[in-house]
Amino acid sequence: MSEKDSSVVLGRRTFVAGFAAATATLAGMSLVGCNDNTLDEVPPEVEGPVVPPGEEGATWYSTPCWHNCGGRCVNKVLIKDGVVLRQKTDDSHEDSYGWPQARGCIRGRATQQQVFGADRLKYPMKRKHWEPLTGGDKSLRGRDEWERISWDEALDYIAAELKNAKEKYGNRSIFFMNIINLEGYWGGLLSAFGGYVDSSATQSTGTFAYNTRAFGWAEKRANDRMDLENSDYIVLWGHNAAWCAFGNPSYYLKRAKEAGSTFLFVGPEYSVTAGFVDAEWIPVRPATDTALICALAHSMITRDKEGSLIDWDYLNRCTVGFDAEHMPTDAKSDENYRDYILGAYDGIEKTAEWASEICGTPVETIHHLADILGCKNVVSIHTNGAAARNNGAENYPQALMTLGAMGGHYGKPGHACGNDQYYSAMNNGRTLAIIGQSGHPFQFTTANNPIDDSLNCNEMWRSILDGKYIRTGNMYAGQYDEPEERNLDIHVIVSEQHNLLQSQPNINEGIEAFRKVDFVCSQAYTMKTDTKYSDIVLPICTRWEVLRDNWYATQADRENAFTHRKIIDPLFESRSDYDVAKELAGRLGLDFNTIVPMDEKQLWFNALQGGTVANEDGSTSPLCTISQEDLDRYEVEGTPQEGAVSLEKFLDDGVYRVKRSSDDAFVDIAYKEFREDPEKNPLDSASGKMEIYCQAKGDLFARINGNREGYVTVSPLPKYLEQHEGYKDSFIDWENRVPGPYPLQMTHVHYLRRAHTDYDNLPWLREAMVDPVFINKDDAEAKGIANGDVVLVHNDRGKFIRPASVSRCIMPGVIVVPHGAGASIDEATGIDKAGADNILTSSSSATSTQLNGWNTTLVAYEKYTGDIDLLPDCDWPLDIPIAE
């Protein structure tokens, strides 16, 4: 076996012998120790490579950084005698703008603490007071003790509970917390077992998840990064790439800044990204972006002088619905956008003064921004899901599309308008390098599930508690159905790869739901929130310990293809997801080979075999050169092929990146062909054009919302919508501006310490990033709060305490809470000490079905004077379950 054979690099005995030394090493290292030193760094006065003491004979291995952080980077691990000595990041080639390295952030460089942390789950466990088939004392979930059990016992228990639920209540009693089967195996397993109740919601992309192609706007479509520096103005609309798309997007912005682009940032806080590019701040309250856009449209319409602000040629040729003369043929109403903005239908002109009262943007700033967005300037507008993760944001994507169309900012160099969040941030266009599909038959699909029940993630906890729910389909399966009330009787909850109790709205209500059902099981490698409230816990391998299909590597910058090796055997008694599902299938009387007809190594290799790189003529070629010797070495089935990089080099480097230049054939200008000839290059809308009036959009929301109480009526036009728990709702008397009990708007930010809910347990990151809440300086002074004081943030759904970061970078009346903290609830007071944002978010305030309105939450806060001593997070003990 080669020392770099993917199947095993370090044997279990070798690793265990060195584990104590590794743990001691990690405990003594600071974050500074995770630097980018490499074995080939040579002082100027020394010839040849310099090997630091103790690292002789050590070997570097590329490892995955697999979390859903919005970026995608390279990790490499130095191993000697079974011990991980340190990490580094991409050094596979010289770094340049045309060929940038895929450098890791502090999260990726701390992954060794996640893999080797003292809080790793080591063996299967059961809750002490759990009883088979009844659940025992279910109120103790989340606060019970644990007992160690064997794998056979754990899998036998789970199989028995699933069989019992199916026999007594049917498969509709099994809730698999899925949100699309991205990488796991339980979806296929439970489908073969007879099905399960699923769930769906808009999640990270917010209202962009509602088929924006219906009005002609691709969800993630702006220009190529090589065009970014051609923009005179770059507008970041809520786009905080430095934290939510870490890695090269900030590099791209830096390049544009150096080329002379002027930046503007639109949002309720002056973000890290805004500061990085010295952007002008356009403040706007959470969830009021559509009101601001309406006012910008009004300013442009009323002040335009023969095309001084509005690109009438683009509007007339490439859009429908802007005015009465350009309506789509399928329109069921004669309303048009121009007349709506001018108040023809509701008697309210959408003036800057009107909008300023709602969104908090000064009137003069609105007119200033309208001037910048005018057709005479070269502008690119970049948004992400932040402004769309709001109640009342149903029309935001279409409104922003319209704003871009009014300025003519499509189809020309330097001009762009689109949602390019996360992996595509600042670099859109044709995929240039990517690994292939694994052949996992149940990946990315819910179609094999014979049960069509799908809970709305916003309402799923209440649905479980009430025993009924409103079904509107599963948007991940392309289902947008009319509302149908159904009875619901959940007895089993299964958590595989997600952490929905922590990541979805209203954690306290979720805990009630967990404590209601008969049985909860989860698999994890640390005590995630789902796991804390389970009955049976299965220890799962990290990606360093097992070969997995490379789905995570497909979510990447379009120029990169990523891969990884397995570098250590499973730690302690942990097993892979694949092995768990296979073992459980046999206990359920299922043939796992008919569910997933290949092993993990073959799934891993299929993705390598199917990888492609783009050619300048528009065709693609294989990514990897694969020989018969490669197939024999890895004991997999495949076909020899010639590719852009040898298989071994790809595995050694962990990444393949396409070299770029500003004049190459891959420079992509979104909508270029469409702008030149919209008739020959139609979009996906019914008219083939950008639909400012979109009947299909209006019909979709009418169908899924029905006449359900609380849901809004969504027009085919991008009209301003009131929010639930929006700014106006913070007043009990809006006309006289009398504040209500919860007068502050809470929004959240993707925080560099975490990737959603992952990494939050790592001591290095807890020390580096203190996880405060960010509040306005004037608001703080009015409450006697100074920087670093502990504040109590609360509403009717819960409460938490956190240190305050006081700043003028936050709008008055707004509090910004880092997303994803794992709840740590004090049982005596009910106070969460971790600052989990979803302690306070609502499960009943959505304005449309399946809409995650996380950024629309009303709260109050004051200086905390209670008895809980809130230690710095880095001083908290790790959550290590003690099993008898």
Side-chain angles (χ1 to χ4, degrees):
M1 179 181 66
S2 165
E3 69 170 357
K4 291 187 178 180
D5 189 317
S6 69
S7 59
V8 176
V9 171
L10 301 178
R12 183 185 303 274
R13 289 186 180 182
T14 302
F15 175 80
V16 171
F19 183 76
T23 304
T25 300
L26 289 175
M29 291 177 69
S30 69
L31 189 62
V32 178
C34 288
N35 56 33
D36 197 21
N37 294 332
T38 63
L39 292 182
D40 56 0
E41 289 178 344
V42 182
E45 69 279 6
V46 178
E47 294 184 3
V50 174
V51 179
E55 295 186 358
E56 300 86 354
T59 304
W60 285 106
Y61 295 94
S62 291
T63 60
C65 190
W66 64 89
H67 300 283
N68 186 23
C69 64
R72 189 62 67 221
C73 307
V74 170
N75 260 323
K76 294 188 178 183
V77 176
L78 183 65
I79 295 179
K80 180 181 179 181
D81 298 331
V83 176
V84 171
L85 302 181
R86 56 188 172 95
Q87 288 180 239
K88 67 177 181 179
T89 188
D90 187 15
D91 58 358
S92 58
H93 55 77
E94 291 295 323
D95 186 59
S96 67
Y97 189 71
W99 203 25
Q101 296 170 348
R103 296 178 180 176
C105 72
I106 62 173
R107 290 172 296 202
R109 296 175 191 234
T111 301
Q112 54 189 300
Q113 279 199 324
Q114 190 170 45
V115 176
F116 302 123
D119 55 350
R120 274 292 299 268
L121 297 180
K122 298 175 177 62
Y123 31 72
M125 299 183 296
K126 77 174 185 72
R127 190 169 58 79
K128 183 175 183 178
H129 293 91
W130 171 75
E131 295 292 338
L133 306 183
T134 66
D137 187 348
K138 295 179 283 189
S139 69
L140 292 177
R141 287 187 183 128
R143 50 194 174 211
D144 208 346
E145 298 174 80
W146 295 98
E147 294 180 341
R148 181 176 181 174
I149 57 177
S150 70
W151 269 100
D152 283 340
E153 288 177 296
L155 294 172
D156 286 345
Y157 281 138
I158 294 172
E161 295 291 333
L162 290 171
K163 290 178 179 178
N164 179 66
K166 179 177 181 177
E167 179 181 341
K168 289 184 177 179
Y169 313 107
N171 282 75
R172 292 185 68 242
S173 68
I174 301 169
F175 178 37
F176 174 38
M177 298 198 298
N178 185 29
I179 312 186
I180 193 169
N181 199 44
L182 295 179
E183 302 181 271
Y185 297 97
W186 278 79
L189 180 71
L190 292 175
S191 292
F193 185 62
Y196 58 89
V197 174
D198 206 340
S199 60
S200 75
T202 57
Q203 298 299 300
S204 294
T205 55
T207 53
F208 284 100
Y210 292 114
N211 191 18
T212 60
R213 291 181 180 273
F215 48 83
W217 217 37
E219 180 190 323
K220 296 178 181 178
R221 197 72 178 93
N223 290 357
D224 175 48
R225 69 180 176 95
M226 290 295 177
D227 179 66
L228 199 61
E229 61 195 75
N230 293 324
S231 301
D232 294 333
Y233 295 94
I234 297 174
V235 179
L236 303 175
W237 204 298
H239 205 310
N240 189 11
W243 272 3
C244 72
F246 203 77
N248 283 321
S250 294
Y251 191 13
Y252 307 153
L253 294 176
K254 179 176 182 288
R255 173 78 168 213
K257 181 68 178 178
E258 292 171 345
S261 298
T262 297
F263 284 81
L264 300 94
F265 182 85
V266 184
E269 86 287 3
Y270 190 74
S271 71
V272 171
T273 308
F276 174 65
V277 295
D278 192 25
E280 177 184 349
W281 185 17
I282 310 295
V284 59
R285 293 188 179 105
T288 64
D289 303 84
T290 307
L292 174 57
I293 292 173
C294 287
L296 291 167
H298 185 277
S299 180
M300 294 171 76
I301 291 169
T302 57
R303 297 188 303 119
D304 179 75
K305 305 295 184 184
E306 298 182 350
S308 61
L309 290 171
I310 296 176
D311 187 338
W312 293 105
D313 173 69
Y314 188 84
L315 282 179
N316 294 338
R317 290 190 307 108
C318 300
T319 75
V320 293
F322 183 78
D323 54 30
E325 289 73 37
H326 298 87
M327 293 295 289
T329 57
D330 64 347
K332 299 176 183 178
S333 165
D334 60 1
E335 290 189 356
N336 64 79
Y337 189 66
R338 182 181 183 277
D339 287 343
Y340 163 71
I341 294 297
L342 296 179
Y345 309 124
D346 57 7
I348 301 172
E349 280 198 69
K350 312 308 179 290
T351 64
E353 291 76 11
W354 165 83
S356 184
E357 280 289 302
I358 299 169
C359 65
T361 312
V363 170
E364 60 274 15
T365 302
I366 294 174
H367 292 306
H368 164 64
L369 181 57
D371 288 338
I372 288 174
L373 295 174
C375 62
K376 301 303 182 183
N377 293 321
V378 182
V379 182
S380 61
I381 306 168
H382 301 261
T383 191
N384 63 8
R389 290 191 290 268
N390 284 298
N391 299 324
E394 288 86 342
N395 287 329
Y396 170 70
Q398 188 188 20
L400 193 65
M401 178 198 75
T402 301
L403 187 63
M406 291 178 67
H409 300 307
Y410 295 104
K412 297 186 295 184
H415 296 262
C417 182
N419 170 21
D420 62 352
Q421 70 186 89
Y422 300 146
Y423 311 102
S424 64
M426 310 303 152
N427 193 18
N428 291 252
R430 175 189 175 199
T431 297
L432 304 183
I434 192 170
I435 61 166
Q437 297 298 315
S438 67
H440 184 338
F442 290 92
Q443 202 168 46
F444 312 114
T445 181
T446 60
N448 299 290
N449 182 8
I451 290 176
D452 68 352
D453 287 284
S454 182
L455 306 183
N456 177 345
C457 286
N458 284 316
E459 303 171 354
M460 59 188 177
W461 310 134
R462 178 49 49 193
S463 298
I464 292 171
L465 293 169
D466 290 347
K468 61 183 179 180
Y469 82 107
I470 304 295
R471 182 193 179 277
T472 55
N474 187 316
M475 60 170 49
Y476 299 122
Q479 301 168 350
Y480 296 94
D481 300 335
E482 294 182 2
E484 176 191 354
E485 183 170 325
R486 291 184 176 183
N487 291 327
L488 185 70
D489 188 19
I490 298 297
H491 287 263
V492 172
I493 294 176
V494 176
S495 173
E496 182 187 24
Q497 56 186 330
H498 292 293
N499 191 14
L500 299 194
L501 186 54
Q502 184 173 328
S503 67
Q504 300 304 301
N506 203 334
I507 289 175
N508 283 321
E509 191 172 71
I511 291 171
E512 288 184 57
F514 267 56
R515 287 173 174 165
K516 176 189 177 185
V517 301
D518 294 335
F519 180 67
V520 183
C521 66
S522 70
Q523 53 189 48
Y525 38 82
T526 58
M527 290 295 286
K528 64 183 183 180
T529 306
D530 283 3
T531 305
K532 292 178 184 178
Y533 291 86
S534 295
D535 298 313
I536 301 291
V537 174
L538 304 179
I540 285 298
C541 299
T542 69
R543 286 188 180 273
W544 286 16
E545 302 158 66
V546 65
L547 279 178
R548 286 290 305 268
D549 56 73
N550 285 311
W551 170 83
Y552 76 91
T554 67
Q555 308 298 297
D557 185 306
R558 73 189 190 103
E559 299 168 13
N560 283 324
F562 292 93
T563 190
H564 73 283
R565 298 179 187 270
K566 169 185 173 181
I567 65 166
I568 60 173
D569 269 344
L571 302 186
F572 310 106
E573 294 185 18
S574 62
R575 294 187 182 181
S576 71
D577 307 77
Y578 181 98
D579 286 342
V580 170
K582 186 174 183 177
E583 287 285 329
L584 190 57
R587 288 167 166 81
L588 295 175
L590 304 173
D591 181 0
F592 189 69
N593 290 329
T594 65
I595 300 172
V596 182
M598 58 194 79
D599 62 21
E600 288 178 290
K601 187 188 294 186
Q602 188 66 52
L603 291 167
W604 167 82
F605 183 79
N606 289 348
L608 298 172
Q609 175 93 68
T612 59
V613 294
N615 300 318
E616 292 197 355
D617 64 1
S619 64
T620 61
S621 299
L623 170 62
C624 294
T625 293
I626 297 174
S627 65
Q628 185 60 50
E629 289 76 14
D630 292 327
L631 300 175
D632 294 341
R633 181 188 313 114
Y634 293 110
E635 299 177 331
V636 291
E637 296 182 3
T639 304
Q641 65 186 28
E642 291 295 320
V645 61
S646 72
L647 178 61
E648 286 305 305
K649 179 171 176 52
F650 186 37
L651 291 170
D652 284 345
D653 291 345
V655 63
Y656 175 84
R657 184 168 190 122
V658 174
K659 290 183 179 180
R660 297 294 312 282
S661 66
S662 59
D663 59 353
D664 65 27
F666 301 128
V667 174
D668 187 271
I669 307 298
Y671 304 103
K672 180 177 182 293
E673 293 78 11
F674 168 73
R675 182 186 185 106
E676 291 171 350
D677 193 335
E679 305 303 328
K680 288 185 179 179
N681 301 283
L683 304 178
D684 293 334
S685 63
S687 66
K689 299 184 178 183
M690 290 186 175
E691 295 194 354
I692 298 171
Y693 179 109
C694 180
Q695 192 61 56
K697 186 206 78 174
D699 290 347
L700 182 148
F701 281 103
R703 182 168 64 254
I704 63 176
N705 285 348
N707 296 314
R708 190 175 174 190
E709 183 180 356
Y711 283 177
V712 296
T713 299
V714 181
S715 167
L717 293 170
K719 297 181 178 181
Y720 169 69
L721 297 172
E722 298 289 352
Q723 309 88 46
H724 296 166
E725 295 202 35
Y727 175 63
K728 284 188 175 182
D729 299 306
S730 69
F731 299 91
I732 55 175
D733 181 351
W734 167 251
E735 295 301 324
N736 295 301
R737 303 297 191 272
V738 179
Y742 303 116
L744 300 161
Q745 291 183 274
M746 185 186 85
T747 184
H748 68 221
V749 64
H750 285 222
Y751 193 51
L752 194 53
R753 171 168 136 179
R754 292 184 286 272
H756 288 291
T757 67
D758 284 328
Y759 285 122
D760 198 43
N761 60 311
L762 306 191
W764 287 341
L765 298 182
R766 288 188 168 196
E767 183 175 1
M769 308 288 288
V770 299
D771 202 32
V773 293
F774 302 93
I775 61 178
N776 175 265
K777 187 174 186 293
D778 294 337
D779 291 346
E781 289 180 351
K783 295 175 179 290
I785 296 171
N787 198 59
D789 285 347
V790 176
V791 296
L792 175 70
V793 187
H794 58 98
N795 60 20
D796 287 340
R797 293 177 288 273
K799 49 192 173 182
F800 65 70
I801 53 175
R802 279 278 91 195
S805 176
V806 178
S807 171
R808 292 201 182 278
C809 293
I810 310 298
M811 288 185 72
V814 173
I815 175 173
V816 178
V817 177
H819 164 61
S824 179
I825 299 173
D826 179 73
E827 292 290 342
T829 62
I831 294 176
D832 168 45
K833 297 177 290 183
D837 51 341
N838 284 313
I839 285 284
L840 304 180
T841 53
S842 174
S843 59
S844 60
S845 65
T847 47
S848 284
T849 186
Q850 302 192 50
L851 172 56
N852 286 117
W854 283 298
N855 288 334
T856 331
T857 301
L858 293 179
V859 302
Y861 67 77
E862 58 265 356
K863 189 172 181 177
Y864 178 64
T865 57
D867 296 330
I868 298 175
D869 184 14
L870 187 65
L871 297 173
D873 292 359
C874 58
D875 292 337
W876 288 18
L878 293 176
D879 191 351
I880 304 173
I882 306 299
E884 296 180 358

